[in-house]
Amino acid sequence: EDCVFINNHTSYFSGYGGGLYFDEGSAGIISRCYFINNRALSGGGIYDTGSGSTITDCSFVGNVVDHGSGGGIYDSSSGTTITDCLFSGNTANSGGAFYGGSFHTQNYHGIIEGCTFLKNRAKFGGGGIVVGGMGEMVSEDRKSTRLNSSHTDISRMPSSA
């Protein structure tokens, strides 16, 4: 709780999770944290392959992914819940906020609620959010989940299966 991750970066060849990295079998409870100007190969702010983290009232601002996905968050876990978070000015190849630029998810089955996505950018898809593989995203409160990202706000990547 109440942490600040600013100007962190990972190495080019093994660079996952500029701010935080959750490996398989782990789950984080992250509350009232700031992820600002972090840089990674994937997951500029957070890279999560764990099993259902809870991320609440956090800000993901200006995080960068050079060649991969998820400027703010890259998530390939299951059951992650993201509530009342700000994603602003994040960039990546795919998804501006979640899985791409900002938030990228692969096989994601979780909830995004009450989040704001502003000015996130992706080269290929999902300036705000990309949902890939067999994943699905549920927005419990569509009125308060706001999207305003460049390229595409929400993008659905085809399943490889």
Side-chain angles (χ1 to χ4, degrees):
E1 289 185 8
D2 301 314
C3 297
V4 178
F5 300 85
I6 299 176
N7 296 326
N8 298 292
H9 67 277
T10 60
S11 69
Y12 180 77
F13 294 105
S14 63
Y16 300 113
L20 283 175
Y21 178 96
F22 292 104
D23 204 354
E24 294 179 30
S26 62
I29 299 173
I30 305 151
S31 180
R32 297 184 309 270
C33 293
Y34 294 89
F35 296 84
I36 302 169
N37 296 330
N38 299 292
R39 179 175 232 119
L41 187 59
S42 279
I46 296 175
Y47 187 91
D48 187 0
T49 61
S51 56
S53 295
T54 301
I55 302 168
T56 306
D57 197 26
C58 293
S59 294
F60 296 85
V61 178
N63 297 291
V64 175
V65 167
D66 294 312
H67 300 287
S69 300
I73 300 174
Y74 178 99
D75 184 72
S76 63
S77 66
S78 183
T80 298
T81 300
I82 301 170
T83 308
D84 298 327
C85 291
L86 168 67
F87 294 88
S88 180
N90 300 290
T91 60
N93 276 338
S94 173
F98 187 83
Y99 178 114
S102 194
F103 181 65
H104 172 104
T105 178
Q106 186 71 27
N107 302 321
Y108 176 78
H109 300 279
I111 296 172
I112 297 175
E113 181 176 42
C115 294
T116 301
F117 296 83
L118 298 169
K119 298 181 181 179
N120 299 289
R121 294 179 308 171
K123 289 181 184 177
F124 301 111
I129 300 170
V130 169
V131 179
M134 299 299 294
E136 66 180 359
M137 176 192 71
V138 177
S139 176
E140 294 290 325
D141 182 358
R142 291 183 184 269
K143 292 181 182 175
S144 64
T145 299
R146 295 168 294 279
L147 298 169
N148 183 16
S149 298
S150 65
H151 197 274
T152 316
D153 287 329
I154 298 177
S155 180
R156 175 86 165 117
M157 301 298 283
S159 173
S160 58

